Structures are given as structure tokens and as C-alpha cells.
């Protein structure tokens, strides 16, 4: 579940499971898709397009988003600046909002500004693009500004030497010599500003295009829809549901009496990989009187695990029978600490007896309700001189 780094490709799993979220590099605008059934923690980086001719470098932004839900998210990749044109901004839009890495300005007689960034939305490590270097009327052209987390400004030329490109990807300015290059160098990927031409040069460097990179940090393969506990007769019944599962080996049920120190009290096998909704039940037959704290440790086949939220249940009942699930299409299970014979009776809400079944011992019972019409019924167990009952929904 942790630190999943993937190459862009289409990976299909058995049982019809969609490809899980993957790393993706965007050199053109598009959409980043997290398939249905997954949530992911991702890191996103964007470089704005570089400006042309002593142009500024594109801005650089980065953000890490936790537990991004399934969906399609807009990615915009800025173009590099052509003659007289500034670089275009790049951006990405996720549930927290839109973050923009601005394009570098085109060169002028002064230094061209680097691409700006979204000051509020951009994450730590984001940085505006480097400024383009100034040119000299009788000398070399100014260098283009750099773009990235450690961008620097373009260099200033001498009367004969072009200004150095700003790190890490600004284009060098043209050099005014009889043998050296006189045109400005293009900015390099990603987002570098183009170098200015020298006095005798004919062409200034173009700005490099931007880019957006999405890296998957982790994928949550088990979507836990609910986890609840309730006191019943003689036990605490824990129920939980998953929306999807991937590589899920099992759930380990843990209990604590102080909410801090937990120990395992049982486990339920997972179904591995599925996009179908799954329901689970576990009966703690030995809860302590007072507050019991429960949590689930979801364990993958590769040893990775996640913890659920903690569920607190107050238990103050004495008794010996529990019923689960209380909503079922067919089988109803009844657990008891009694070993004496038992009779199970099913009534409708008008009090009419619809079904009856006898058992040699009451400790583990199972009754089939599949032949009854859908509706609410009262199920009663008579055992050991005691009577226990529960309302059950048949669907």
C-alpha cells in the first residue's frame, strides 16, 4: 500500500479491476485519472513555459495531496515563448483547488520577469522562475532565466560574451565575436527562458515548454465504507463494509481498554481483489464491562497495512446470545455461550409464527430466511430457560 511508484502503462487486474493510479508525465494538456475504486496520495509538479529572448524562466510549483478520490483532474501544460511571446502557464486542478506555475515573460530592454506561482495554493518547495539577464547594446545577449525548485536568474553579458543561462535550464545569450555564436540559445526542458541574441545575431532563443508530472506516493487498496460496534446480548458485535479491495489478505481485529494499548482478539479473511461491496462481522464474546475500544488492522499480502479509525463501545449487559447480520438476504447467525438445546422461532410483526427450528446446542446457530418475503421479522431464541430476540431485516 505504501510508496507505490509506477511507470506509465496500462495495468489490468483479474476480476475486471481497473488499472490502479499510476505515475504520469504531461507534455501536453490532458486529464489525470484515478480509477473508480481507488484513493491515492500523489505529488504533483508543474513547470510554466519559458519566455523568449532574455526571457524569464517558468514558475515551478509542487503539492502533495492525501487520499485523492477517484475522478478525472484537469492538467494544463504551458507552451514555451516564441519570438516576442511570453511563456504560457501550466496548472493542475485537484479537490483542494487549482495551482498555477506562471509562464516566463518575454525579453525587453530590461530583465524579463520569471513565471509567478500561486502563493497561497502552491506547496513547500515551489519557486518563481528566474529572471532573464539584461543585454548590452554593443555586446552579448542576456541569458534566459531558469525554472525549477532551485532556479536562478539569467546572467548579464560582457561586451563580447553572452550572459550565462540561469540554472538549471535557461538558454545562453549570443556572443558578439567573429567566430562565436551570435544567436541566443533556446531554453531547455522544462520551462527555461531563451537567451537573447547578440548585437550581430539574428535570432533569439525560444522559451522551453512547461511540463506537469504526477507521482503516486501510495494507493489505498481497501476502501473502508464503515466500521461500527454495538453491544448485544453477552457480546459486542463489530460490523464493517468495504467498497473495493486490492491485495487484501485479512483484517485483524484489535481491542483496547484505554484507547492506547491494543491487542489482537481475532481476524477475518479478506477477499483479495474485488470492486464489489463486501460486508464483515465479528463478535467479541469477552468484552470488558465499561468502555471497549476497537480498531481494524487491514493487512495486504505484501505485508503492508493500514489502521481504521477507533470505535468505542460501552458494554454493560449480561447475556448469552447475539444475532448477525441483522440485515440479510438469506442466512442469520446466532452465537451463544449456552450449550443447552435451543429453539429458534421467526415471527412477523403481527405476531404470527412463520418458521421454527430446533437445535441440539445453542452456541452456534444458523437459520435460513431466504424463503421469507422481504420485510422485518422478530427472531427469538429459547435456550437454557432464557429467551432472547432481535429484529431482523430480510431483503
Amino acid at each position: 500500500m505504501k510508496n507505490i511508484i509506477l511507470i506509465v502503462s496500462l495495468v489490468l487486474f483479474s476480476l475486471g479491476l481497473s488499472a490502479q493510479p499510476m505515475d504520469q508525465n504531461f507534455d501536453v494538456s490532458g486529464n489525470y485519472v484515478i480509477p473508480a475504486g481507488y484513493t491515492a496520495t500523489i505529488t504533483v509538479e508543474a513547470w510554466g513555459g519559458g519566455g523568449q529572448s532574455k526571457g524569464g524562466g517558468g514558475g515551478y510549483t509542487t503539492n502533495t495531496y492525501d487520499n485523492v478520490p477517484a475522478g478525472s483532474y484537469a492538467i494544463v501544460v504551458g507552451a514555451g515563448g516564441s519570438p516576442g511571446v511570453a511563456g504560457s502557464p501550466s496548472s493542475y486542478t485537484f479537490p483542494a483547488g487549482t495551482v498555477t506555475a506562471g509562464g516566463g515573460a518575454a525579453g525587453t530592454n530590461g530583465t524579463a520577469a520569471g513565471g509567478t506561482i500561486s502563493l497561497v495554493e502552491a506547496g513547500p518547495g515551489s519557486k518563481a522562475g528566474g529572471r532573464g539577464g539584461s543585454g548590452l547594446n554593443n555586446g552579448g545577449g542576456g541569458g534566459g532565466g531558469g525554472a525549477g525548485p532551485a532556479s536562478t536568474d539569467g546572467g548579464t553579458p560582457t561586451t563580447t560574451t553572452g550572459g550565462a543561462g540561469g540554472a538549471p535550464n535557461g538558454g545562453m545569450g549570443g556572443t558578439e565575436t567573429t567566430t562565436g555564436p551570435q544567436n541566443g540559445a533556446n531554453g531547455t526542458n522544462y520551462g527555461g527562458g531563451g537567451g537573447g541574441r547578440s548585437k550581430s545575431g539574428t535570432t533569439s532563443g525560444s522559451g522551453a515548454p512547461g511540463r506537469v508530472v504526477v507521482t503516486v506516493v501510495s494507493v489505498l487498496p481497501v476502501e473502508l465504507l464503515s466500521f461500527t460496534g454495538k453491544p448485544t446480548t453477552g457480546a459486542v458485535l463489530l460490523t464493517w463494509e468495504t467498497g473495493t479491495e486490492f491485495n487484501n489478505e485479512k483484517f485483524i481485529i484489535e481491542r483496547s481498554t484505554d484507547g492506547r494499548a491494543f491487542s489482537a482478539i481475532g481476524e477475518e479473511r479478506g477477499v483479495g481483489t474485488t470492486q464489489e461491496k463486501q460486508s464483515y462481522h465479528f463478535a467479541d464474546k469477552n468484552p470488558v464491562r465499561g468502555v471497549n475500544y476497537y480498531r481494524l488492522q487491514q493487512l495486504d499480502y505484501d505485508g503492508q497495512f493500514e489502521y481504521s479509525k477507533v470505535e468505542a463501545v460501552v458494554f454493560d449487559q449480561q447475556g448469552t446470545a447475539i444475532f448477525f447480520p441483522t440485515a440479510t438476504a438469506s442466512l442469520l447467525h446466532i452465537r451463544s455461550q449456552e450449550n443447552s438445546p435451543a429453539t429458534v422461532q421467526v415471527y412477523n410483526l403481527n405476531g404470527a409464527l412463520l418458521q421454527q427450528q430446533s437445535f441440539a446446542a445453542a452456541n452456534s446457530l444458523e437459520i435460513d430466511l431466504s424463503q421469507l418475503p422481504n420485510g422485518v421479522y422478530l427472531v427469538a431464541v429459547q435456550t437454557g430457560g432464557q429467551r432472547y430476540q432481535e429484529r431482523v431485516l430480510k431483503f
Side-chain angles (χ1 to χ4, degrees), residues 50-283:
Q52 186 260 359
S53 179
K54 300 168 287 184
Y60 169 82
T61 60
T62 180
N63 290 79
T64 296
Y65 299 108
D66 295 324
N67 300 324
V68 181
S72 180
Y73 300 98
I75 303 294
V76 176
V77 177
S82 55
V85 178
S88 299
S90 298
S91 66
Y92 43 88
T93 301
F94 286 91
T98 298
V99 178
T100 300
T108 60
N109 290 332
T111 55
T116 58
I117 60 175
S118 306
L119 293 179
V120 176
E121 297 86 356
S126 301
K127 188 176 182 182
R131 299 177 66 87
S134 296
L136 294 178
N137 290 334
N138 295 315
S151 62
T152 62
D153 296 341
T156 300
T158 68
T159 55
T160 58
T161 305
N169 41 23
M172 183 174 179
T175 297
E176 183 64 17
T177 66
T178 56
T179 58
Q182 297 176 330
N183 295 328
N186 294 333
T188 58
N189 292 336
Y190 299 97
R197 66 179 178 82
S198 68
K199 173 185 175 183
S200 301
T202 59
T203 305
S204 295
S206 297
R211 193 180 220 202
V212 176
V213 173
V214 180
T215 302
V216 177
V217 178
S218 63
V219 176
L220 182 62
V222 173
E223 181 188 8
L224 189 63
L225 300 178
S226 64
F227 173 49
T228 61
K230 71 173 184 177
T232 61
T233 308
V236 171
L237 179 62
L238 303 173
T239 61
W240 63 98
E241 290 185 332
T242 61
T244 58
E245 298 182 21
F246 171 65
N247 199 33
N248 179 27
E249 180 182 358
K250 61 184 175 182
F251 295 95
I252 300 173
I253 300 91
E254 298 182 351
R255 185 183 65 200
S256 169
T257 57
D258 60 8
R260 296 185 298 273
F262 285 83
S263 58
I265 60 172
E267 60 184 55
E268 292 288 332
R269 303 295 299 180
V271 298
T273 297
T274 180
Q275 282 189 300
E276 300 295 327
K277 184 177 178 180
Q278 303 294 319
S279 297
Y280 296 89
H281 309 274
F282 180 84

Side-chain angles (χ1 to χ4, degrees), residues 282-303:
F282 180 84
D284 178 11
K285 297 181 180 180
N286 298 292
V288 299
R289 295 188 65 82
V291 181
N292 294 262
Y293 300 90
Y294 298 94
R295 71 182 183 186
L296 302 174
Q297 183 192 69
Q298 182 274 312
L299 182 66
D300 284 356
Y301 285 107
D302 60 8

